[in-house]
Amino acid sequence: MGLPVPRDVVALVLDVLRPALAERAEPYAAGLVVSSEMGSEPGSDADDGPPSLPWLLVAEDGHTWSWPAVQRSTIRLTCWHRSEFTAKAVCALALGLLCAPGIRAAPIAADPITAPITSLDPYTDQPLATASVAVFARTPLL
């Protein structure tokens, strides 16, 4: 009998969003970087904002595990873009791609927690939008 091991749910979400968003024809999705980090430069500070626009940050705000079967992660999607409208549009698109049944290949399900909310980044004054989603992932046996 295998041992249940928790999955990296952020990695699963990235595996779903990166190809799905890259295939989109919407102009606001062009050139979008989807990442779990703000920058790759040594010594870069999250307060400096993303290294390029548009940028979608996928972060985990909470995690529970109904051992041995299902994990539930609260995932925060934050998009920096050139306007609040385009930031919100990207955030809504990512939320929809995660929550739509049958659109993804990864073994996950998702339910929205909050709709995209726009603001200006207090550190960079760049437009951003953020949303939250509950992501459920089956735990594999290793």
Side-chain angles (χ1 to χ4, degrees), residues 19-85:
L21 288 167
E23 295 171 355
R24 301 301 298 194
E26 291 87 347
Y28 53 80
L32 179 67
V33 175
V34 182
S35 181
S36 61
E37 299 177 14
M38 285 300 283
S40 57
E41 297 296 319
S44 64
D45 187 352
D47 291 348
D48 293 340
S52 65
L53 295 177
W55 193 276
L56 180 66
L57 179 68
V58 177
E60 186 175 53
D61 286 338
H63 189 119
T64 60
W65 188 18
S66 298
W67 193 90
V70 178
Q71 296 171 184
R72 179 189 187 275
S73 291
T74 302
I75 299 293
R76 179 177 19 95
L77 304 169
T78 304
C79 180
W80 287 261
H81 215 299
R82 290 170 184 85
S83 73
E84 288 185 15
F85 173 81

Side-chain angles (χ1 to χ4, degrees), residues 1-7 65-71 107 137-142:
M1 183 171 186
L3 175 67
V5 177
R7 290 179 175 255
W65 188 18
S66 298
W67 193 90
V70 178
Q71 296 171 184
R138 291 210 175 272
T139 305
L141 296 177
L142 298 181

Side-chain angles (χ1 to χ4, degrees), residues 107-125:
I108 64 172
D111 290 322
I113 297 173
T114 62
I117 300 167
T118 60
S119 184
L120 290 177
D121 185 322
Y123 300 104
T124 66
D125 286 332

